[in-house]
Amino acid sequence: MKNIISNINKAFDHRIRLGIMSVLMVNDFADFKTLKELLGVTDGNLASHAKALEKDDYILVEKSFIGRKPNTRYSATKKGREAFQKHVDAIEKLLKQ
Amino acid sequence: MSTEDYLKDISEIKNMMNKSSRFFSLSGLSGILAGFYALIGAAIAYYVVSISGKDYLILDGVTFRWVLIDLGVVALLSIITAIWLSARKAKKNHEVLWNATSRRLIGAFLVPLVTGGIYILIKITSNHYGLTGSLMLIFYGLALVNASRYTIGNVQYLGYIEIVLGLICAMLPGYGFWFWVAGFGVMHIIYGSLIYFKEQ
């Protein structure tokens, strides 16, 4: 039991961060606007939660320009994928008990 | 955190994974209507050919041109209906019609379809139009199977049925018209109804 709980990741303990990771697990990448629409959150909210995940090296942020418009693209890192998978496995194990 | 919170988390993860990779607002009703357009279009084509006095088509005849226009109108009406009803459904679901998922869906759908369309046109201009019905069914089926990854309603099964119909049609020359009616008319109505009732 203790072992399982230690696999529950605090970084994913928030609906928006959980949502960002879920999207990035099944998509190679997602841009800021797409994530915003999917999660139904404000710019600032998304940016701060994405920042937190970036700090943990769970997601990769690429900034570029499409024409003159700035575009921010997110993708999950290998570390992020593994951590998220572990987190989901831990939750599922907890629920089975 | 309680069990309930974890359950909520899991359902949120599933929801986000689905929502971000599949287009949900595909309308069953538009499938039903496309089926009816196809049946009406086929009836008109049947009538046009029968009043021409011949039971076959001559490529540069007026009749053939009418049949082509008829086919074009059916395709156009089906597309317009699909876009209109999907837009309506997307609005109801608070989903955006033109997003990353629907773009992927259209891309996956169009690659086999346009390839098939061009191939059929090439065959028609070189007078090999005997297999047009079969080829339309096969390429349309492939397009559906390819696009089904990005949408709901198990559209791949409709795709498999269209492919099988197309292949059988290729073995039975002369019955292309009836296979076309079955594949584009009847199957659309049946499948559209299935999706439609699932939506309710």
Side-chain angles (χ1 to χ4, degrees):
Chain A
M1 184 77 186
K2 214 174 180 183
N3 207 355
I4 297 172
I5 287 186
S6 71
N7 276 333
I8 294 279
N9 198 326
K10 275 268 181 284
F12 308 129
D13 204 5
H14 188 281
R15 193 188 69 87
I16 296 175
R17 291 195 290 273
L18 199 74
I20 296 173
M21 283 312 289
S22 306
V23 173
L24 295 179
M25 287 295 276
V26 290
N27 292 278
D28 292 340
F29 54 83
D31 60 21
F32 192 85
K33 204 177 143 232
T34 306
L35 276 179
K36 211 181 95 177
E37 279 167 7
L38 279 168
L39 299 168
V41 291
T42 61
D43 282 19
N45 226 341
L46 177 58
S48 73
H49 286 291
K51 191 116 219 158
L53 288 170
E54 189 191 3
K55 229 181 197 165
D56 287 332
D57 284 328
Y58 288 160
I59 63 171
L60 199 71
V61 184
E62 291 166 85
K63 290 190 182 188
S64 64
F65 280 86
I66 295 177
R68 281 186 183 170
K69 269 165 79 189
N71 183 270
T72 309
R73 210 169 86 153
Y74 299 95
S75 56
T77 61
K78 190 163 175 272
K79 187 182 165 196
R81 282 178 184 278
E82 283 165 3
F84 192 72
Q85 193 58 56
K86 238 184 187 169
H87 179 72
V88 172
D89 289 346
I91 292 182
E92 278 175 345
K93 262 186 211 143
L94 269 180
L95 287 174
K96 261 185 211 144
Q97 283 178 347
Chain B
M1 264 181 37
S2 67
T3 312
E4 213 165 284
D5 288 326
Y6 286 129
L7 276 174
K8 231 192 234 160
D9 273 8
I10 289 287
S11 82
E12 173 74 7
I13 291 168
K14 277 191 188 147
N15 178 29
M16 272 303 139
M17 285 183 168
N18 273 326
K19 213 168 142 187
S20 65
S21 55
R22 281 169 196 271
F23 181 69
F24 273 80
S25 298
L26 202 68
S27 157
L29 192 59
S30 69
I32 300 175
L33 288 173
F36 278 113
Y37 299 154
L39 289 184
I40 295 165
I44 292 171
Y46 193 80
Y47 177 72
V48 168
V49 174
S50 67
I51 56 163
S52 75
K54 306 179 191 93
D55 54 357
Y56 56 90
L57 286 174
I58 299 168
L59 193 57
D60 30 45
V62 186
T63 314
F64 185 75
R65 228 163 288 156
W66 276 112
V67 171
L68 269 191
I69 291 170
D70 182 34
L71 201 64
V73 171
V74 167
L76 196 69
L77 274 178
S78 303
I79 294 166
I80 292 170
T81 308
I83 294 173
W84 174 53
L85 289 177
S86 293
R88 214 179 59 165
K89 200 175 160 191
K91 208 171 165 192
K92 213 171 77 183
N93 291 351
H94 303 290
E95 202 183 13
V96 189
L97 181 66
W98 191 240
N99 59 17
T101 324
S102 62
R103 275 197 291 276
R104 252 181 292 179
L105 172 70
I106 304 272
F109 185 65
L110 283 185
V111 171
L113 201 70
V114 172
T115 310
I118 294 171
Y119 182 74
I120 289 167
L121 285 179
I122 293 170
K123 292 307 261 181
I124 285 179
T125 50
S126 63
N127 281 335
H128 292 97
Y129 46 92
L131 285 176
T132 300
S134 159
L135 290 171
M136 281 177 80
L137 287 165
I138 290 172
F139 280 106
Y140 178 62
L142 290 173
L144 285 176
V145 172
N146 204 33
S148 67
R149 278 177 292 162
Y150 301 117
T151 188
I152 47 158
N154 292 320
V155 177
Q156 69 269 29
Y157 297 120
L158 177 60
Y160 295 139
I161 292 168
E162 303 283 2
I163 293 171
V164 170
L165 280 176
L167 290 175
I168 299 172
C169 174
M171 290 188 286
L172 299 168
Y175 291 95
F177 175 79
W178 297 108
F179 276 95
W180 194 94
V181 167
F184 286 95
V186 179
M187 283 317 301
H188 271 149
I189 294 173
I190 295 174
Y191 221 83
S193 312
L194 284 179
I195 298 183
Y196 183 76
F197 286 114
K198 236 179 169 176
E199 285 166 9
Q200 304 303 313

